[in-house]
Amino acid sequence: MKAVIMAGGFGTRIQPLTNSIPKPMLPIMNRPMMEHTIVSLRNLGIKEFIILLYFKPDVIKEYFEDGSKWGIKITYVIPDDDYGTAGAVKKAQEYIGDENFIIISGDLVTDFDFQAIFDYHKSKNSKLTITLTSVENPLEFGVVIANEEGKIEKFLEKPSWGEVFSDTINTGIYIIEPEILNYIPNNENYDFAKDLFPTLMRKGIDLMAGYAQGYWRDVGNPESYRDVYEDILRGKIKFQLSGEAIKYPDGVLICEEDNIIDESVDVVGIVVIGNNVAIKKGAKLNNVVIGDNVIIESSAKISNSVIWNNVEIGKNARLDGCVICNNNRIGKNVTAKSGLILAEGCEIGELVIVEKDVTIWPDKVIENAAIVSRSVILGSKYKNSIFENGLVIGKSNVEISCEMATKLAEAYGAQLPVGSTILVSRDSAKSSRMLKRAFLGGLLSSGVDVLDYGAIPSAVMRCSLSYHDEYSAGIHINQKLDDPTSTVITFFNHEALRINNDMAKKVEKAFFKETFRRVDYSRIGQIYLSDHAKEYLGYKKGMEELLKSHMFKCLNCRVAVDMMHGMASEVFPDILNDMGVDHILFNAHPDNPRLDNINSLTKASHEDMSAVIKALDLDAGFMIYPHGQRLDILCDKGILLSKQAALFIVLTLLNMEAKNHGVVKRVFLPTWAADFVQFEHLEIERGQYANFKRDKMKQYDLVTTGEGNFAFTEFSSHRDSMYATLKILEMIVYNRVKLSQLIESLPRFYYHTFQVPCTQANKGKMMRMFLEDSKGKKSSTLDGVKIWLKPQDWVLMIPDQYSDNLNLYIQAKTNEDGERICETYKSKIEEWMST
């Protein structure tokens, strides 16, 4: 058997530790991470290794050379492009030959019994065996389900919490027979999980699951790197430590030769020391791993820390829970609280205090007596992952600074052709104005032209973007609605939809590696100012062409509209006037101080709207949220409709419209939306809304997440509360109905949503337990786990994407049944969590 080691990753998530070395070379107990894997496989008799390189290949080649130092033979393969995981292995086919082989990542730490994995593969006469294990947080891995015979039935690569159906994941360790390589195309980007595995399953080739017991950790970020050390020192992993062991009263020192350690040094727990280390009088070390060529001056106290090579630590320094990279100088009397990541080549002055969880990027100088309370950043990186569903969110002028905005724009501009045109808009907040200007500079430097819309509703900018093929992308910058101290930067593709995960990852990679495209001075982009009057006119005409505007003028229909001090107040009142809608406006002027407390504003608006609707006998009320997507509806009785009621009302109206036109309209809803009511003239599809393209959106007449967001695709493929208001009003008028009557006509049933606290570590386990509970019942794992208990009674559990909670949704025919289901699953969850 041969071994193929994947060692070509960029390590962007674990920056800045990988600033100058590839991730497989990060030291674990003073040896590169990949070396431990190689030694484990060599000890089982594997003598031929093929190492796939890409990022910083020379660092790996210079260390391992031909492998003879370890008694093995190493062949290096460096693809000329990024061919994906399977595509890269295809490049090594000529070196693999006719033997079966193991594929393993170079950036993981494990004590798996590899011999047991080999034996299982052989016993099953398998063509491809995927090694599985259970983890606390399965989001970053491929989740897998296999039957009792070990045949894999389903897997999902890097799911969201809503898609997770187990905590059993793909470790990326495969045993493969050589003929499988024939299914991988040459010179194509081809991935094991996304491409090869589905292909093999379609062709009837069984993929076998080999469950492995023991420790396994993908070292993906600085926190997991630090956790590996903690696990080793606490004995959670079987790990052979080399060197002489010297016992102390409260610990043990494991060290190499050529070290100078003063006899007064206090050792607590396990301390591991490399070569040429000097530890001076009165120093105290507690669970510390120290590399080569390190000097620790007298009376320094260091605990729970990792120190790489060529580091000097001054007198009386206090370091706790730190990772200190190569070539650093730390002055006297420095205090670093838990969580410091000190990248290479830094100089920390005397009397410096570093607060908790600070990252200092490479080659920084911290002056004497400075108090470092936030990260000192290269490229203003502020998170391991920048994007969340096409959004970048952070504290204004702190996490998202002008420098950050500029470099983010440079990274995005580099993904578009030179000469492209991007639309950029913002809201009226001062922070948005500032960051937009910084963002523009970054776009221009990459050779991208900008059509500057200034302060304008994002719906108008997106409408223009979707209607004009010459525009390549759009950016909208606004103050976060529920946190006025934060800014949201939303990235839209040429279809006016949020960029997908693939594009987000490309931008992140360019951002972290600073692979910007700074063009020649003659090709620098230009800024063109937009004409708001022209854009608003086009937006309004688009509505008028679709809506039966004359009906608003001739019928007795009056509504209240609350603009909630948002940018829509610049255009929507004129649209209402021109289309003849008899209306009463609320809050149709900018007022940033009131927007700073959105909860108070929302409550007051609900109360005011309700009172006016009842007093003046209005037909409905509509609340346009500040950023033009969410819509709240009040009926003619002044009652605020819940999100579920609003959804049913809109579906009922759309069903009436379809019936009147003799057609069937298509609707896309989230999986958690109630399905108790059937609509004869609507074809409803339920699923997870993620990475939709315009062609997909246009297959439906209505797409809604059920959160007050409605995309009527006859007008646009994105959510637009202004158009939704007029469309809903048109359907009310055309069908001559009252919203209160529609509410009363809906059947009564039980529908309840609630949250159950659940730590990140338990979410995968809960998904697995729900899936096990679904056996023998009708179920779905389309989004979370949904279990039908009766034809119309079901429970759906989706782990919350961003908080430590489980989201539960329950539908039942009667309140009694619903309450019983609710109590049953609360009890089950409590029991599962305690086991």
Side-chain angles (χ1 to χ4, degrees):
M1 177 179 284
K2 296 179 181 179
V4 177
I5 298 184
M6 312 288 287
F10 288 94
T12 53
R13 308 287 185 199
I14 202 168
Q15 289 271 25
L17 300 183
T18 51
N19 183 66
S20 64
I21 60 175
K23 189 163 60 164
M25 296 300 289
L26 292 179
I28 298 293
M29 308 307 284
N30 294 333
R31 298 287 183 272
M33 194 179 339
M34 187 166 72
E35 183 177 346
H36 297 293
T37 300
I38 288 175
V39 170
S40 295
L41 294 173
R42 179 205 63 187
N43 291 344
L44 292 176
I46 296 179
K47 300 299 182 182
E48 291 191 46
F49 287 76
I50 300 162
I51 300 180
L52 303 179
L53 305 175
Y54 194 67
F55 177 63
K56 298 187 184 297
D58 293 339
V59 176
I60 295 175
K61 292 172 70 176
E62 288 173 7
Y63 183 86
F64 288 102
E65 297 180 332
D66 63 359
S68 57
K69 180 180 176 181
W70 290 267
I72 60 176
K73 176 187 175 183
I74 294 179
T75 301
Y76 298 100
V77 176
I78 308 177
D80 57 354
D81 202 348
D82 184 1
Y83 292 110
T85 53
V89 173
K90 180 72 172 181
K91 289 293 181 181
Q93 186 171 10
E94 63 178 293
Y95 305 107
I96 293 171
D98 296 329
E99 296 182 57
N100 63 3
F101 58 98
I102 180 173
I103 292 179
I104 189 168
S105 172
D107 55 9
L108 60 83
V109 176
T110 182
D111 62 5
F112 284 167
D113 183 348
F114 287 109
Q115 187 61 55
I117 296 172
F118 301 155
D119 293 344
Y120 176 85
H121 175 80
K122 186 175 181 180
S123 70
K124 291 292 185 179
N125 197 26
S126 173
K127 298 297 182 184
L128 193 156
T129 299
I130 301 174
T131 304
L132 309 181
T133 195
S134 294
V135 296
E136 291 181 346
N137 182 358
L139 290 189
E140 288 300 313
F141 313 105
V143 177
V144 182
I145 285 183
N147 64 19
E148 294 176 357
E149 289 75 38
K151 179 182 173 182
I152 290 174
E153 296 180 329
K154 186 173 183 179
F155 55 85
L156 184 65
E157 180 70 6
K158 294 187 178 181
S160 67
W161 271 122
E163 296 171 308
V164 170
F165 43 77
S166 175
D167 60 354
T168 304
I169 60 98
N170 174 5
T171 64
I173 301 172
Y174 311 132
I175 312 295
I176 299 179
E177 296 301 314
E179 58 263 36
I180 293 296
L181 294 176
N182 296 327
Y183 292 93
I184 304 174
N186 279 308
N187 301 319
E188 288 187 24
N189 190 301
Y190 209 72
D191 186 80
F192 278 113
K194 294 179 182 178
D195 303 308
L196 180 62
F197 296 164
T199 296
L200 296 176
M201 293 176 78
R202 284 195 300 270
K203 292 182 179 293
I205 298 174
D206 290 345
L207 307 181
M208 303 306 295
Y211 291 92
Q213 299 293 324
Y215 184 92
W216 179 91
R217 184 183 286 274
D218 173 80
V219 184
N221 54 51
E223 290 72 27
S224 62
Y225 178 75
R226 191 160 32 213
D227 289 344
V228 165
Y229 275 92
E230 182 178 342
D231 292 342
I232 292 172
L233 296 178
R234 290 188 176 185
K236 290 185 177 181
I237 174 175
K238 299 173 186 175
F239 203 92
Q240 188 67 39
L241 301 176
S242 60
E244 180 187 0
I246 304 170
K247 291 187 177 180
Y248 281 71
D250 297 315
V252 61
L253 174 67
I254 300 172
C255 63
E256 304 287 348
E257 302 175 354
D258 302 324
N259 296 309
I260 302 172
I261 302 172
D262 191 272
E263 61 183 13
S264 65
V265 170
D266 188 10
V267 171
V268 179
I270 298 176
V271 174
V272 179
I273 294 177
N275 293 304
N276 194 28
V277 173
I279 305 176
K280 299 187 178 180
K281 184 177 179 179
K284 181 176 181 178
L285 306 176
N286 181 355
N287 285 337
V288 178
V289 178
I290 300 170
D292 299 337
N293 308 313
V294 174
I295 298 173
I296 298 176
E297 296 290 350
S298 59
S299 300
K301 289 182 171 58
I302 305 172
S303 60
N304 306 308
S305 296
V306 180
I307 300 169
W308 293 5
N309 302 326
N310 305 308
V311 175
E312 293 180 13
I313 298 174
K315 291 182 180 180
N316 296 308
R318 303 287 187 270
L319 308 181
D320 180 24
C322 302
V323 177
I324 310 298
C325 297
N326 295 331
N327 306 312
N328 280 301
R329 304 293 177 267
I330 298 175
K332 294 186 294 185
N333 299 301
V334 168
T335 298
K337 301 178 183 179
S338 178
L340 169 65
I341 303 288
L342 182 63
E344 62 190 10
C346 294
E347 189 171 323
I348 311 299
E350 299 178 6
L351 294 167
V352 169
I353 297 175
V354 182
E355 299 291 352
K356 187 177 179 182
D357 293 330
V358 165
T359 298
I360 300 177
W361 281 62
D363 305 315
K364 294 292 185 283
V365 176
I366 309 298
E367 296 182 355
N368 293 341
I371 298 176
V372 184
S373 59
R374 63 186 179 91
S375 295
V376 182
I377 298 169
L378 169 69
S380 296
K381 171 189 170 289
Y382 67 99
K383 291 182 181 179
N384 286 328
S385 177
I386 298 176
F387 284 91
E388 295 177 4
N389 297 323
L391 308 175
V392 176
I393 305 171
K395 295 296 181 183
S396 307
N397 215 23
V398 179
E399 293 171 325
I400 302 184
S401 62
C402 287
E403 181 186 12
M404 160 76 169
T406 301
K407 290 185 179 296
L408 189 58
E410 289 180 295
Y412 189 51
Q415 311 311 311
L416 303 172
V418 173
S420 300
T421 299
I422 293 182
L423 309 187
V424 181
S425 60
R426 61 171 175 85
D427 67 0
S428 59
K430 291 189 295 183
S431 55
S432 303
R433 181 194 299 269
M434 174 191 74
L435 293 172
K436 190 207 75 175
R437 291 182 176 181
F439 202 94
L440 293 184
L443 292 176
L444 300 180
S445 75
S446 66
V448 169
D449 293 334
V450 173
L451 183 54
D452 184 359
Y453 274 48
I456 201 171
S458 63
V460 178
M461 184 272 284
R462 293 176 75 179
C463 186
S464 181
L465 176 60
S466 64
Y467 284 3
H468 295 85
D469 293 336
E470 65 268 27
Y471 301 146
S472 300
I475 303 291
H476 186 73
I477 302 173
N478 61 266
Q479 179 177 289
K480 195 168 187 286
L481 194 58
D482 57 355
D483 178 11
T485 68
S486 294
T487 291
V488 180
I489 305 177
T490 308
F491 291 69
F492 301 110
N493 61 20
H494 67 286
E495 295 181 337
L497 301 172
R498 291 184 193 175
I499 62 171
N500 60 28
N501 293 335
D502 289 340
M503 174 58 85
K505 288 176 181 177
K506 288 179 182 178
V507 177
E508 284 183 358
K509 184 179 290 187
F511 179 89
F512 290 137
K513 291 178 59 59
E514 296 195 335
T515 51
F516 306 138
R517 181 187 64 214
R518 289 171 177 153
V519 299
D520 179 77
Y521 81 96
S522 62
R523 305 181 75 187
I524 290 173
Q526 298 186 68
I527 297 177
Y528 302 94
L529 299 179
S530 73
D531 182 346
H532 280 196
K534 177 182 176 183
E535 301 302 334
Y536 288 153
L537 180 61
Y539 181 70
K540 182 175 65 174
K541 281 188 174 180
M543 290 187 179
E544 290 176 345
E545 289 173 1
L546 289 169
L547 297 169
K548 303 175 180 64
S549 57
H550 66 279
M551 296 195 68
F552 297 136
K553 298 177 182 178
C554 64
L555 292 179
N556 184 24
C557 178
R558 296 191 302 161
V559 297
V561 180
D562 191 334
M563 305 307 303
M564 298 185 72
H565 305 294
M567 295 301 304
S569 61
E570 287 198 357
V571 61
F572 200 47
D574 288 340
I575 292 175
L576 293 171
N577 288 329
D578 290 352
M579 298 185 75
V581 178
D582 191 355
H583 65 280
I584 298 171
L585 277 182
F586 291 77
N587 301 319
H589 61 280
D591 192 338
N592 287 327
R594 290 202 72 194
L595 282 178
D596 288 347
N597 191 345
I598 188 65
N599 291 330
S600 176
L601 171 62
T602 302
K603 182 180 178 182
S605 294
H606 286 161
E607 293 173 351
D608 293 345
M609 292 269 284
S610 177
V612 169
I613 289 170
K614 288 187 286 187
L616 300 181
D617 194 26
L618 304 183
D619 292 280
F622 299 92
M623 293 177 57
I624 311 289
Y625 276 69
H627 302 316
Q629 293 187 357
R630 180 178 161 187
L631 175 68
D632 278 357
I633 304 172
L634 290 86
C635 75
D636 50 292
K637 301 292 187 184
I639 300 171
L640 175 69
L641 303 187
S642 67
K643 293 174 183 176
Q644 190 66 47
L647 176 59
F648 274 131
I649 290 299
V650 172
L651 293 177
T652 301
L653 290 169
L654 193 65
N655 186 62
M656 291 178 174
E657 181 176 78
K659 180 180 179 180
N660 291 333
H661 289 87
V663 298
V664 173
K665 290 185 177 282
R666 298 194 67 208
V667 178
F668 184 90
L669 299 179
T671 53
W672 51 260
D675 55 10
F676 197 87
V677 181
Q678 301 300 312
F679 298 95
E680 183 180 356
H681 301 279
L682 299 182
E683 180 183 322
I684 298 178
E685 178 181 335
R686 287 173 168 81
Q688 186 181 55
Y689 178 79
N691 294 332
F692 272 29
K693 294 184 177 180
R694 183 163 55 194
D695 289 346
K696 174 76 170 176
M697 295 282 287
K698 290 293 186 181
Q699 294 175 12
Y700 307 99
D701 297 282
L702 171 65
V703 177
T704 174
T705 63
E707 296 286 342
N709 302 316
F710 301 97
F712 289 96
T713 60
E714 63 187 23
F715 179 67
S716 64
S717 56
H718 55 269
R719 292 167 284 184
D720 184 337
S721 57
M722 289 184 279
Y723 184 80
T725 295
L726 291 173
K727 179 64 179 179
I728 293 167
L729 184 58
E730 180 200 49
M731 291 189 293
I732 293 171
V733 170
Y734 186 82
N735 291 288
R736 300 179 183 273
V737 293
K738 295 282 188 181
L739 292 183
S740 59
Q741 295 172 351
L742 295 182
I743 295 171
E744 291 171 2
S745 67
L746 292 174
R748 298 292 181 259
F749 63 97
Y750 180 93
Y751 182 82
H752 182 50
T753 69
F754 60 98
Q755 288 188 325
V756 175
C758 178
T759 63
Q760 193 88 342
N762 273 327
K763 287 181 178 177
K765 177 183 176 182
M766 288 301 101
M767 296 298 282
R768 174 164 52 86
M769 300 305 290
F770 257 81
L771 195 66
E772 290 177 3
D773 187 73
S774 71
K775 288 183 178 178
K777 309 181 186 81
K778 180 184 176 183
S779 64
S780 168
T781 56
L782 187 62
D783 187 11
V785 177
K786 191 173 187 178
I787 303 171
W788 278 265
L789 306 170
K790 293 181 181 178
Q792 291 183 303
D793 294 7
W794 49 255
V795 57
L796 168 65
M797 191 272 287
I798 305 175
D800 194 274
Q801 189 82 356
Y802 304 112
S803 68
D804 287 343
N805 293 293
L806 303 175
N807 297 314
L808 274 91
Y809 309 85
I810 295 172
Q811 175 183 286
K813 189 172 183 178
T814 67
N815 288 341
E816 183 180 355
D817 288 344
E819 292 294 341
R820 184 170 59 251
I821 295 170
C822 185
E823 292 305 317
T824 297
Y825 277 89
K826 281 182 178 178
S827 298
K828 286 187 176 186
I829 291 170
E830 184 177 346
E831 178 185 344
W832 294 336
M833 286 187 177
S834 64
T835 57

